Amino acid sequence: MTGNGVLQIVVYFGILLLLARPLGIYMARVYEGDPSVLTRLFGPVERFFYKFCGINPDEEMGWKRYTAAVLVFGAAGFLVLYLLQRFQGALPFNPQKLPSVAPGLAFNTAVSFVTNTNWQNYGGETTMSYLTQMAGLGVQNFVSAATGMAVLVALVRGFKRHSAQTIGNFWVDLTRSTFYILLPLSVVWSLLLVSQGVVQTLSEYKTVSLTQAISYEKPKLDDRGNPVKDARGNPATERVHVKEQVIPFGPAASQIAIKQLGTNGGGFFNVNSAHPFENPTALSNFLEVLAILLIPAALCLAFGKMIGDLRQGWALLAAMSLVLVSFTCWCAWNEQGGNPRFGALGIDQTASESNPGGNMEGKEARFGIVNSALWATATTAASNGSVNAMHDSFTPVGGMVPLCLMQLGEVIFGGVGSGLYGMLVFAIITVFIAGLMVGRTPEYLGKKIEMFEMKMASLAILIVNALVTIGTAFAVSTKAGVAGIANPGPHGFSEVLYAFSSAANNNGSAFAGLTGNAVFYHIALGIAMFIGRFWVIIPVLAIAGSLAKKKHVPAGLGTLPTHTPLFVAFLIGVVLIVGALTFVPSLALGPIAEQFMAAR
Amino acid sequence: MFTLIRNAITSLILFTVLTGILYPLSVTGLAQALFPRQSNGSFIMKNGNPVGSALIGQQFDKPGYFWGRPSATGPFPYNAASSSGSNLGPNNPALALAVRARTSALRTADPSNRQEIPVDLATASGSGLDPHISPAAAAFQVRRVATARGLYEATVRAAVAAHTRQRLVGVLGEPVVNVLELNLALDELR
């Protein structure tokens, strides 16, 4: 890595950690119902909202009712988004006259956005009308993120309350997350992004004349669309001249702001934040990659504030940051190393002040190596899944790093809310293992961890890991699954493994060579996303309900303190070991095999 | 259960109005008022007509123009209506073939140039629409462009420098040259 590369990583994490504390404390106040500046602005809207929906904000829910609300709200969101896509052809805000979306793709996309995954089997500019983007995908960007935050807050209440039957009101948590946190940040972010050149307009696509006309050979087709062969039996081609460029637009900035802040990740355009209209400058890139981890980082401290011990939040944030910084450097190091196959072709891959060097296939010149690697690791550490470079073209080990970060269960920062509740599940496992070592009943934050919590925590982790491994195995042993693979050899296996790791962990990034726009992947990945989201939420809320009922146990001599470096190291160890035990065999078949083959 | 369903549907309607319609439309209004050029695609105007976007690259393959990053969009390069990367794996033989074709095109256009080719000129960008190349990739092409246009190398070099953007506050991002703006400026010189 270059000196500047290290500096950029340091600046990034410095500013992230600086902003995490004030935002975290603000969020804790929002969830505890303390008034703030924004209460004046949104307070009346919030009250109108409850009145219109027939919600009593003071009503408390038990964990089962809270879970039912999450599921019903998800189901309603799925249905609306599915129908919106199916009928977009007949609806307004569609200047390009894009047709309605096919059933398989509409199903996959609806599941994808409701589960906060944003896996995309389509290219935005060629598939989705402005109405679908705004009122369908955009809405789920907000509310799926807010759902994750609500579930987290419910779990925190489980730790905080004692001898209680309830864990809060889902509608209130959902509404407050949206009004007081996601919406204001999105307005600020979208205007900052527009200032950099991100487009924000409802006008139709524009055509310009090219400065230099170009031509290309296109396979000749007959009236039925079959390829024509010439006299020698080779496919015939015809020369096509191109004099114009069609430039797509749309209300992109407003969408991009929330897709980054809400760890959604669904791009407005096909190539996501590699597209110059989504991410035009170094500053826009910095703002977007900052937005990926901002709320997940701040939530750690909001959690600390809410349970009345900020040190607990810092401990979790420290564990996350240590893993991510090392993984970022690992990825950047490999990408900066370049592609050994290019050595013989007279190509200069050495980094200098005027040349980014390294493996530049699939990367943008304005981002170079370090910003592509930083983004790739941040977006997979968080379950964001937006990309500013094509992960499929990363070096074998450079591409394995984002894959591993997803397979760790999206707990290194993770999705907004979902990352931290995942990490808290790991913390429960960690105190349990520590308890086994010294033969004491484990406690976490003053609550005894017993059989029910352990069962639920194990379920939350096992279900997702089983989805990834079984899904991958199933796909590579069926014709339909193999048909989607683009690259030969172990890299093709990596594409499938990446797809299921991404879907089941609700990330949404891809080794995009894989053709996901086929019935098999629509359904298989749709199921993986659905189970990976809601079958984790259910055990987590069950833990919340069970903890809330328990009495508070004061810390004794034998209690393991959970804010110390020792605990941080122990937690990291548990996360890494669970991930490694599950996934090393499959990684050996993909990126590790490819690395050794390349080295020969 | 019925209450939950009613709550879910009514709140979804309100969220749709607020975050799906009011939010993007008011951001559009603010953006159009505050940053009209950026929000409408950063177009470069020549005699009152748009000739392209400063952010969306165009394909150049004549020796008198600076060439941009190779583009993997289909069916032709720099198809802005369908952004795409190559998604070729690092060890895919198709990548080696593509890179060889790109380097041989550069060599054929400028046989006397013995320098190594900067990597960004031989590799496809992520978007297929990358408007930039590295300063090294521009320097590599200066002599070819100058010869084809009958200009002094110093003149071309000065034009490159004028369209080079350094790192933000010397730290963030990478230094880049905007290819379309540079080529348009060269056309003006004639």
Side-chain angles (χ1 to χ4, degrees), chain A residues 4 8 53 125 179 194-195 200 211-212 245-246 254 270 276 339 341 346 348 354 360-366 393-394 487 594, chain B residues 7 18 23 28 32 38-39 55 57-58 61 69 80 83 86-92 102 117 119 124 126-127 130 136 171 173:
Chain A
N4 168 269
Q8 295 205 42
C53 304
E125 64 268 50
F179 284 10
V194 172
S195 79
Q200 180 74 25
T211 302
Q212 182 217 295
Q245 191 179 40
V246 177
S254 56
N270 185 37
N339 189 334
R341 298 193 175 225
D348 182 8
S354 61
M360 283 297 287
E361 180 75 21
K363 297 189 180 67
E364 299 282 295
R366 61 195 178 283
S393 298
F394 275 32
N487 282 288
E594 189 186 1
Chain B
N7 291 343
L18 189 74
Y23 161 69
T28 307
Q32 292 285 339
Q38 289 95 319
S39 55
L55 297 177
Q58 294 184 7
D61 50 17
R69 304 284 308 278
S83 60
S86 75
N87 283 314
L88 293 173
N91 297 298
N92 191 334
R102 294 164 192 161
I117 297 170
V119 64
S127 62
D130 195 341
V171 178

Short mmCIF file of all heavy atoms in Angstrom, two decimals, chain A residues 4 8 53 125 179 194-195 200 211-212 245-246 254 270 276 339 341 346 348 354 360-366 393-394 487 594, chain B residues 7 18 23 28 32 38-39 55 57-58 61 69 80 83 86-92 102 117 119 124 126-127 130 136 171 173:
data_model
loop_
_atom_site.label_atom_id
_atom_site.label_comp_id
_atom_site.label_asym_id
_atom_site.label_seq_id
_atom_site.Cartn_x
_atom_site.Cartn_y
_atom_site.Cartn_z
N ASN A 4 -0.08 7.44 0.82
CA ASN A 4 -1.36 8.15 0.71
C ASN A 4 -2.52 7.21 0.99
O ASN A 4 -3.52 7.61 1.59
CB ASN A 4 -1.50 8.77 -0.69
CG ASN A 4 -2.90 9.26 -0.96
OD1 ASN A 4 -3.72 8.53 -1.48
ND2 ASN A 4 -3.18 10.49 -0.56
N GLN A 8 -5.44 7.87 3.68
CA GLN A 8 -6.88 7.95 3.37
C GLN A 8 -7.70 7.05 4.30
O GLN A 8 -8.80 7.41 4.72
CB GLN A 8 -7.15 7.57 1.91
CG GLN A 8 -6.54 8.55 0.92
CD GLN A 8 -7.25 8.56 -0.42
OE1 GLN A 8 -8.47 8.52 -0.48
NE2 GLN A 8 -6.50 8.63 -1.50
N CYS A 53 -53.19 6.59 11.54
CA CYS A 53 -53.03 5.13 11.46
C CYS A 53 -53.74 4.42 12.61
O CYS A 53 -53.69 3.19 12.68
CB CYS A 53 -51.57 4.75 11.47
SG CYS A 53 -50.63 5.53 10.17
N GLU A 125 -31.37 1.70 -14.81
CA GLU A 125 -31.71 2.64 -15.88
C GLU A 125 -32.48 1.98 -17.02
O GLU A 125 -33.10 2.66 -17.82
CB GLU A 125 -30.46 3.35 -16.40
CG GLU A 125 -29.39 2.47 -17.08
CD GLU A 125 -28.33 1.98 -16.11
OE1 GLU A 125 -28.72 1.44 -15.05
OE2 GLU A 125 -27.14 2.09 -16.41
N PHE A 179 -38.42 9.46 10.94
CA PHE A 179 -38.60 10.92 10.98
C PHE A 179 -37.39 11.65 11.55
O PHE A 179 -36.99 12.69 11.05
CB PHE A 179 -39.82 11.28 11.84
CG PHE A 179 -41.13 11.03 11.16
CD1 PHE A 179 -41.18 10.33 9.98
CD2 PHE A 179 -42.31 11.50 11.70
CE1 PHE A 179 -42.38 10.08 9.35
CE2 PHE A 179 -43.53 11.27 11.08
CZ PHE A 179 -43.57 10.55 9.91
N VAL A 194 -25.63 16.17 -4.61
CA VAL A 194 -25.96 16.92 -5.83
C VAL A 194 -24.89 17.96 -6.10
O VAL A 194 -24.48 18.16 -7.25
CB VAL A 194 -27.35 17.59 -5.71
CG1 VAL A 194 -27.58 18.51 -6.90
CG2 VAL A 194 -28.45 16.56 -5.64
N SER A 195 -24.39 18.60 -5.05
CA SER A 195 -23.37 19.63 -5.26
C SER A 195 -22.14 19.05 -5.96
O SER A 195 -21.40 19.75 -6.64
CB SER A 195 -22.95 20.26 -3.93
OG SER A 195 -22.04 19.41 -3.25
N GLN A 200 -30.32 14.80 -10.12
CA GLN A 200 -31.58 14.80 -9.40
C GLN A 200 -32.59 15.56 -10.25
O GLN A 200 -32.71 16.78 -10.18
CB GLN A 200 -31.41 15.47 -8.02
CG GLN A 200 -32.68 15.54 -7.18
CD GLN A 200 -33.08 14.18 -6.59
OE1 GLN A 200 -32.26 13.30 -6.41
NE2 GLN A 200 -34.36 14.01 -6.31
N THR A 211 -18.47 13.38 -29.82
CA THR A 211 -17.38 14.19 -30.37
C THR A 211 -16.67 13.43 -31.48
O THR A 211 -16.32 13.98 -32.51
CB THR A 211 -16.39 14.56 -29.25
OG1 THR A 211 -17.12 15.24 -28.23
CG2 THR A 211 -15.27 15.43 -29.76
N GLN A 212 -16.45 12.14 -31.27
CA GLN A 212 -15.88 11.30 -32.32
C GLN A 212 -16.83 10.13 -32.54
O GLN A 212 -17.06 9.33 -31.64
CB GLN A 212 -14.50 10.78 -31.91
CG GLN A 212 -13.84 9.95 -33.00
CD GLN A 212 -13.04 8.78 -32.45
OE1 GLN A 212 -12.04 8.95 -31.77
NE2 GLN A 212 -13.50 7.56 -32.77
N GLN A 245 -24.99 9.49 -28.05
CA GLN A 245 -24.92 8.84 -26.75
C GLN A 245 -26.21 9.19 -26.00
O GLN A 245 -26.56 10.37 -25.93
CB GLN A 245 -23.71 9.37 -25.99
CG GLN A 245 -23.37 8.61 -24.73
CD GLN A 245 -22.14 9.18 -24.03
OE1 GLN A 245 -21.95 10.39 -23.98
NE2 GLN A 245 -21.30 8.30 -23.50
N VAL A 246 -26.90 8.17 -25.49
CA VAL A 246 -28.12 8.42 -24.70
C VAL A 246 -27.72 8.46 -23.23
O VAL A 246 -27.17 7.49 -22.70
CB VAL A 246 -29.16 7.32 -24.93
CG1 VAL A 246 -30.38 7.56 -24.05
CG2 VAL A 246 -29.56 7.27 -26.39
N SER A 254 -31.50 11.66 -4.17
CA SER A 254 -32.34 11.38 -3.02
C SER A 254 -32.33 9.89 -2.70
O SER A 254 -32.39 9.47 -1.54
CB SER A 254 -33.77 11.87 -3.27
OG SER A 254 -34.30 11.30 -4.44
N ASN A 270 -27.21 0.70 -13.09
CA ASN A 270 -26.76 -0.69 -13.06
C ASN A 270 -25.47 -0.88 -12.27
O ASN A 270 -25.38 -1.79 -11.46
CB ASN A 270 -26.57 -1.21 -14.49
CG ASN A 270 -26.22 -2.68 -14.53
OD1 ASN A 270 -26.72 -3.46 -13.73
ND2 ASN A 270 -25.35 -3.07 -15.42
N PRO A 276 -20.61 7.36 -12.72
CA PRO A 276 -20.22 8.75 -12.44
C PRO A 276 -21.41 9.64 -12.01
O PRO A 276 -21.19 10.64 -11.33
CB PRO A 276 -19.64 9.25 -13.76
CG PRO A 276 -19.34 8.04 -14.55
CD PRO A 276 -20.24 6.95 -14.08
N ASN A 339 -2.26 -7.64 -10.91
CA ASN A 339 -2.51 -8.95 -11.51
C ASN A 339 -1.22 -9.49 -12.10
O ASN A 339 -0.69 -8.93 -13.06
CB ASN A 339 -3.59 -8.81 -12.59
CG ASN A 339 -4.05 -10.15 -13.11
OD1 ASN A 339 -3.30 -11.14 -13.06
ND2 ASN A 339 -5.27 -10.20 -13.60
N ARG A 341 -0.55 -11.71 -14.03
CA ARG A 341 -0.61 -12.09 -15.46
C ARG A 341 -0.32 -10.92 -16.39
O ARG A 341 -0.10 -11.11 -17.58
CB ARG A 341 -1.98 -12.65 -15.79
CG ARG A 341 -2.22 -13.88 -14.99
CD ARG A 341 -3.39 -14.67 -15.47
NE ARG A 341 -3.39 -15.89 -14.66
CZ ARG A 341 -3.57 -17.09 -15.14
NH1 ARG A 341 -3.80 -17.26 -16.41
NH2 ARG A 341 -3.52 -18.13 -14.35
N GLY A 346 3.76 -5.86 -20.79
CA GLY A 346 4.29 -4.51 -20.89
C GLY A 346 3.39 -3.48 -20.24
O GLY A 346 3.22 -2.37 -20.74
N ASP A 348 2.38 -1.22 -16.80
CA ASP A 348 2.97 -0.67 -15.58
C ASP A 348 1.92 -0.67 -14.47
O ASP A 348 0.97 0.10 -14.50
CB ASP A 348 3.46 0.74 -15.86
CG ASP A 348 4.13 1.35 -14.65
OD1 ASP A 348 4.33 0.61 -13.66
OD2 ASP A 348 4.46 2.55 -14.68
N SER A 354 1.39 9.65 -10.24
CA SER A 354 0.56 9.90 -11.42
C SER A 354 -0.15 8.64 -11.92
O SER A 354 -0.85 8.69 -12.93
CB SER A 354 1.41 10.49 -12.54
OG SER A 354 2.42 9.58 -12.90
N MET A 360 -6.52 -2.64 -11.73
CA MET A 360 -7.49 -1.60 -12.05
C MET A 360 -8.67 -2.11 -12.88
O MET A 360 -9.56 -1.34 -13.22
CB MET A 360 -6.82 -0.43 -12.79
CG MET A 360 -6.03 0.50 -11.88
SD MET A 360 -7.07 1.34 -10.65
CE MET A 360 -7.94 2.52 -11.68
N GLU A 361 -8.69 -3.40 -13.24
CA GLU A 361 -9.85 -3.91 -13.99
C GLU A 361 -11.10 -3.78 -13.09
O GLU A 361 -11.11 -4.26 -11.96
CB GLU A 361 -9.62 -5.37 -14.39
CG GLU A 361 -10.77 -6.00 -15.18
CD GLU A 361 -10.84 -5.52 -16.63
OE1 GLU A 361 -9.83 -5.03 -17.17
OE2 GLU A 361 -11.94 -5.62 -17.23
N GLY A 362 -12.13 -3.13 -13.63
CA GLY A 362 -13.36 -2.97 -12.86
C GLY A 362 -13.33 -1.84 -11.85
O GLY A 362 -14.25 -1.71 -11.05
N LYS A 363 -12.27 -1.03 -11.88
CA LYS A 363 -12.20 0.10 -10.93
C LYS A 363 -12.17 1.42 -11.70
O LYS A 363 -11.74 1.48 -12.84
CB LYS A 363 -10.96 -0.02 -10.06
CG LYS A 363 -10.97 -1.26 -9.17
CD LYS A 363 -9.84 -1.22 -8.16
CE LYS A 363 -9.86 -2.45 -7.27
NZ LYS A 363 -9.54 -3.70 -8.00
N GLU A 364 -12.62 2.48 -11.03
CA GLU A 364 -12.67 3.80 -11.63
C GLU A 364 -11.40 4.58 -11.33
O GLU A 364 -10.84 4.48 -10.23
CB GLU A 364 -13.88 4.56 -11.08
CG GLU A 364 -15.22 3.91 -11.37
CD GLU A 364 -15.69 4.15 -12.81
OE1 GLU A 364 -15.97 5.31 -13.17
OE2 GLU A 364 -15.78 3.16 -13.56
N ALA A 365 -10.96 5.38 -12.32
CA ALA A 365 -9.70 6.11 -12.16
C ALA A 365 -9.74 7.06 -10.98
O ALA A 365 -8.77 7.22 -10.25
CB ALA A 365 -9.36 6.88 -13.44
N ARG A 366 -10.92 7.72 -10.74
CA ARG A 366 -10.95 8.72 -9.67
C ARG A 366 -10.89 8.09 -8.28
O ARG A 366 -10.60 8.77 -7.31
CB ARG A 366 -12.21 9.60 -9.80
CG ARG A 366 -13.53 8.84 -9.70
CD ARG A 366 -14.70 9.70 -10.21
NE ARG A 366 -15.97 8.97 -10.15
CZ ARG A 366 -16.35 8.03 -11.01
NH1 ARG A 366 -15.57 7.70 -12.01
NH2 ARG A 366 -17.52 7.43 -10.88
N SER A 393 -13.98 -8.67 -10.40
CA SER A 393 -12.66 -8.54 -11.04
C SER A 393 -11.55 -8.31 -10.02
O SER A 393 -10.41 -8.06 -10.42
CB SER A 393 -12.68 -7.39 -12.06
OG SER A 393 -13.61 -7.65 -13.08
N PHE A 394 -11.84 -8.37 -8.73
CA PHE A 394 -10.80 -8.25 -7.72
C PHE A 394 -9.86 -9.46 -7.81
O PHE A 394 -10.22 -10.51 -8.35
CB PHE A 394 -11.41 -8.20 -6.31
CG PHE A 394 -11.85 -6.81 -5.87
CD1 PHE A 394 -12.31 -5.89 -6.79
CD2 PHE A 394 -11.79 -6.43 -4.53
CE1 PHE A 394 -12.72 -4.61 -6.38
CE2 PHE A 394 -12.19 -5.16 -4.12
CZ PHE A 394 -12.65 -4.25 -5.04
N ASN A 487 -17.50 -16.75 -15.01
CA ASN A 487 -16.07 -16.97 -15.11
C ASN A 487 -15.74 -18.45 -14.91
O ASN A 487 -16.38 -19.13 -14.10
CB ASN A 487 -15.33 -16.14 -14.06
CG ASN A 487 -15.20 -14.68 -14.47
OD1 ASN A 487 -14.45 -14.34 -15.37
ND2 ASN A 487 -16.00 -13.84 -13.84
N GLU A 594 -8.18 -20.61 -6.31
CA GLU A 594 -7.82 -19.74 -7.44
C GLU A 594 -6.47 -19.07 -7.20
O GLU A 594 -5.65 -18.96 -8.11
CB GLU A 594 -8.91 -18.67 -7.64
CG GLU A 594 -8.69 -17.90 -8.93
CD GLU A 594 -9.66 -16.74 -9.11
OE1 GLU A 594 -10.50 -16.51 -8.24
OE2 GLU A 594 -9.55 -16.07 -10.15
N ASN B 7 -52.97 -1.01 10.90
CA ASN B 7 -51.85 -0.12 11.19
C ASN B 7 -50.77 -0.21 10.11
O ASN B 7 -50.20 0.80 9.70
CB ASN B 7 -51.21 -0.49 12.53
CG ASN B 7 -52.12 -0.18 13.71
OD1 ASN B 7 -53.06 0.58 13.57
ND2 ASN B 7 -51.82 -0.77 14.86
N LEU B 18 -44.73 10.30 2.27
CA LEU B 18 -43.69 11.15 2.85
C LEU B 18 -42.30 10.85 2.27
O LEU B 18 -41.61 11.76 1.79
CB LEU B 18 -43.67 10.93 4.37
CG LEU B 18 -42.78 11.91 5.12
CD1 LEU B 18 -43.44 13.27 5.16
CD2 LEU B 18 -42.52 11.42 6.53
N TYR B 23 -40.42 13.50 -0.15
CA TYR B 23 -38.96 13.59 0.03
C TYR B 23 -38.23 13.74 -1.31
O TYR B 23 -37.51 14.72 -1.51
CB TYR B 23 -38.46 12.41 0.85
CG TYR B 23 -36.99 12.11 0.75
CD1 TYR B 23 -36.04 12.98 1.27
CD2 TYR B 23 -36.54 10.96 0.10
CE1 TYR B 23 -34.69 12.72 1.16
CE2 TYR B 23 -35.19 10.68 -0.01
CZ TYR B 23 -34.26 11.56 0.51
OH TYR B 23 -32.92 11.29 0.39
N THR B 28 -35.62 17.27 -5.19
CA THR B 28 -35.48 17.68 -6.59
C THR B 28 -35.63 19.20 -6.70
O THR B 28 -34.83 19.86 -7.37
CB THR B 28 -36.55 16.99 -7.47
OG1 THR B 28 -36.48 15.58 -7.24
CG2 THR B 28 -36.31 17.28 -8.94
N GLN B 32 -32.61 21.55 -7.91
CA GLN B 32 -32.73 22.34 -9.14
C GLN B 32 -32.49 23.82 -8.85
O GLN B 32 -31.94 24.53 -9.69
CB GLN B 32 -34.13 22.15 -9.76
CG GLN B 32 -34.38 20.75 -10.29
CD GLN B 32 -33.65 20.49 -11.60
OE1 GLN B 32 -33.28 21.42 -12.30
NE2 GLN B 32 -33.44 19.23 -11.94
N GLN B 38 -25.34 20.81 -11.86
CA GLN B 38 -25.01 19.46 -11.39
C GLN B 38 -26.22 18.54 -11.42
O GLN B 38 -26.12 17.39 -11.83
CB GLN B 38 -24.46 19.50 -9.96
CG GLN B 38 -23.09 20.10 -9.82
CD GLN B 38 -23.15 21.58 -9.47
OE1 GLN B 38 -23.98 22.31 -10.02
NE2 GLN B 38 -22.29 22.01 -8.57
N SER B 39 -27.38 19.05 -10.96
CA SER B 39 -28.51 18.13 -10.85
C SER B 39 -29.03 17.71 -12.22
O SER B 39 -29.73 16.72 -12.35
CB SER B 39 -29.62 18.75 -10.01
OG SER B 39 -29.99 19.98 -10.53
N LEU B 55 -19.20 14.27 -16.85
CA LEU B 55 -19.05 13.11 -15.96
C LEU B 55 -19.16 11.79 -16.70
O LEU B 55 -18.91 10.74 -16.12
CB LEU B 55 -20.10 13.16 -14.85
CG LEU B 55 -20.00 14.36 -13.91
CD1 LEU B 55 -21.12 14.35 -12.90
CD2 LEU B 55 -18.66 14.32 -13.19
N GLY B 57 -17.94 9.53 -19.81
CA GLY B 57 -16.91 9.45 -20.83
C GLY B 57 -17.47 9.11 -22.20
O GLY B 57 -18.62 8.68 -22.34
N GLN B 58 -16.66 9.35 -23.24
CA GLN B 58 -17.02 8.94 -24.60
C GLN B 58 -15.86 8.13 -25.17
O GLN B 58 -14.73 8.26 -24.72
CB GLN B 58 -17.28 10.17 -25.48
CG GLN B 58 -18.50 10.96 -25.04
CD GLN B 58 -18.81 12.13 -25.99
OE1 GLN B 58 -18.20 12.27 -27.05
NE2 GLN B 58 -19.77 12.96 -25.58
N ASP B 61 -10.92 6.58 -30.37
CA ASP B 61 -9.91 5.63 -30.84
C ASP B 61 -9.11 6.18 -32.01
O ASP B 61 -8.39 5.45 -32.67
CB ASP B 61 -10.55 4.28 -31.16
CG ASP B 61 -11.76 4.40 -32.06
OD1 ASP B 61 -11.93 5.47 -32.69
OD2 ASP B 61 -12.55 3.43 -32.13
N ARG B 69 -10.41 5.22 -20.61
CA ARG B 69 -10.34 3.84 -20.13
C ARG B 69 -11.07 2.94 -21.11
O ARG B 69 -12.09 3.33 -21.68
CB ARG B 69 -11.06 3.71 -18.78
CG ARG B 69 -10.60 4.62 -17.66
CD ARG B 69 -9.30 4.15 -17.05
NE ARG B 69 -9.30 2.76 -16.64
CZ ARG B 69 -9.80 2.30 -15.48
NH1 ARG B 69 -10.37 3.12 -14.64
NH2 ARG B 69 -9.72 1.01 -15.16
N ALA B 80 -23.87 4.85 -22.64
CA ALA B 80 -24.31 5.41 -21.35
C ALA B 80 -25.67 4.90 -20.93
O ALA B 80 -26.03 4.95 -19.75
CB ALA B 80 -24.32 6.93 -21.42
N SER B 83 -24.90 1.04 -18.37
CA SER B 83 -23.60 0.99 -17.71
C SER B 83 -23.25 -0.44 -17.31
O SER B 83 -24.12 -1.21 -16.93
CB SER B 83 -23.63 1.87 -16.46
OG SER B 83 -24.63 1.43 -15.55
N SER B 86 -16.70 -5.22 -16.94
CA SER B 86 -16.48 -6.48 -17.67
C SER B 86 -16.83 -7.67 -16.79
O SER B 86 -17.23 -8.71 -17.30
CB SER B 86 -15.01 -6.59 -18.09
OG SER B 86 -14.20 -6.92 -16.97
N ASN B 87 -16.65 -7.53 -15.47
CA ASN B 87 -16.84 -8.63 -14.53
C ASN B 87 -16.00 -9.85 -14.86
O ASN B 87 -16.35 -10.97 -14.49
CB ASN B 87 -18.32 -9.01 -14.41
CG ASN B 87 -19.07 -8.01 -13.55
OD1 ASN B 87 -18.61 -7.62 -12.48
ND2 ASN B 87 -20.22 -7.55 -14.03
N LEU B 88 -14.89 -9.64 -15.56
CA LEU B 88 -13.99 -10.76 -15.83
C LEU B 88 -13.13 -11.00 -14.60
O LEU B 88 -12.58 -10.05 -14.02
CB LEU B 88 -13.10 -10.44 -17.03
CG LEU B 88 -13.83 -10.34 -18.38
CD1 LEU B 88 -12.88 -9.85 -19.47
CD2 LEU B 88 -14.42 -11.69 -18.78
N GLY B 89 -13.01 -12.26 -14.19
CA GLY B 89 -12.16 -12.60 -13.07
C GLY B 89 -10.70 -12.40 -13.43
O GLY B 89 -10.34 -12.40 -14.62
N PRO B 90 -9.83 -12.23 -12.41
CA PRO B 90 -8.43 -11.91 -12.68
C PRO B 90 -7.69 -13.00 -13.46
O PRO B 90 -6.72 -12.72 -14.15
CB PRO B 90 -7.83 -11.74 -11.28
CG PRO B 90 -8.78 -12.45 -10.36
CD PRO B 90 -10.12 -12.30 -10.97
N ASN B 91 -8.17 -14.24 -13.33
CA ASN B 91 -7.48 -15.32 -14.02
C ASN B 91 -8.28 -15.88 -15.19
O ASN B 91 -7.96 -16.94 -15.72
CB ASN B 91 -7.15 -16.44 -13.03
CG ASN B 91 -6.19 -15.95 -11.96
OD1 ASN B 91 -5.07 -15.58 -12.29
ND2 ASN B 91 -6.64 -15.91 -10.72
N ASN B 92 -9.32 -15.17 -15.58
CA ASN B 92 -10.10 -15.60 -16.73
C ASN B 92 -9.28 -15.37 -18.01
O ASN B 92 -8.81 -14.26 -18.24
CB ASN B 92 -11.40 -14.78 -16.78
CG ASN B 92 -12.38 -15.33 -17.78
OD1 ASN B 92 -11.99 -15.98 -18.76
ND2 ASN B 92 -13.66 -15.07 -17.55
N ARG B 102 -6.26 -4.63 -26.12
CA ARG B 102 -6.18 -3.21 -25.79
C ARG B 102 -4.76 -2.69 -25.92
O ARG B 102 -4.52 -1.62 -26.47
CB ARG B 102 -6.67 -2.98 -24.35
CG ARG B 102 -8.14 -3.28 -24.14
CD ARG B 102 -8.45 -3.42 -22.64
NE ARG B 102 -9.78 -3.98 -22.40
CZ ARG B 102 -10.15 -4.53 -21.25
NH1 ARG B 102 -9.30 -4.60 -20.23
NH2 ARG B 102 -11.37 -5.00 -21.09
N ILE B 117 2.81 0.55 -20.55
CA ILE B 117 1.47 1.15 -20.60
C ILE B 117 0.91 1.26 -19.18
O ILE B 117 0.84 0.27 -18.47
CB ILE B 117 0.54 0.29 -21.47
CG1 ILE B 117 1.07 0.26 -22.90
CG2 ILE B 117 -0.89 0.80 -21.41
CD1 ILE B 117 0.38 -0.76 -23.79
N VAL B 119 -1.51 1.07 -16.17
CA VAL B 119 -2.49 -0.02 -16.05
C VAL B 119 -3.92 0.44 -16.33
O VAL B 119 -4.73 -0.31 -16.89
CB VAL B 119 -2.38 -0.71 -14.67
CG1 VAL B 119 -2.72 0.23 -13.53
CG2 VAL B 119 -3.26 -1.94 -14.61
N ALA B 124 -10.53 -2.28 -18.16
CA ALA B 124 -11.85 -1.68 -18.30
C ALA B 124 -12.29 -1.09 -16.96
O ALA B 124 -12.05 -1.67 -15.90
CB ALA B 124 -12.87 -2.73 -18.75
N GLY B 126 -15.00 0.26 -13.99
CA GLY B 126 -16.13 -0.41 -13.36
C GLY B 126 -17.45 -0.05 -13.99
O GLY B 126 -18.33 -0.89 -14.18
N SER B 127 -17.63 1.22 -14.35
CA SER B 127 -18.90 1.68 -14.88
C SER B 127 -18.97 1.52 -16.40
O SER B 127 -20.04 1.51 -16.98
CB SER B 127 -19.11 3.15 -14.54
OG SER B 127 -18.09 3.93 -15.13
N ASP B 130 -16.26 5.64 -17.31
CA ASP B 130 -15.27 6.44 -16.58
C ASP B 130 -14.82 7.64 -17.43
O ASP B 130 -14.28 7.46 -18.51
CB ASP B 130 -14.07 5.55 -16.23
CG ASP B 130 -13.18 6.18 -15.18
OD1 ASP B 130 -13.25 7.40 -14.98
OD2 ASP B 130 -12.39 5.43 -14.55
N ALA B 136 -0.57 9.64 -15.61
CA ALA B 136 0.41 8.82 -16.31
C ALA B 136 -0.14 8.35 -17.65
O ALA B 136 0.57 8.32 -18.67
CB ALA B 136 0.78 7.61 -15.44
N VAL B 171 -5.27 14.86 -0.37
CA VAL B 171 -5.38 13.56 0.32
C VAL B 171 -6.36 12.61 -0.36
O VAL B 171 -6.01 11.47 -0.71
CB VAL B 171 -5.82 13.76 1.79
CG1 VAL B 171 -5.97 12.41 2.48
CG2 VAL B 171 -4.82 14.63 2.53
N GLY B 173 -9.02 10.64 -2.82
CA GLY B 173 -9.19 10.28 -4.22
C GLY B 173 -7.85 10.12 -4.93
O GLY B 173 -6.81 9.95 -4.28
#
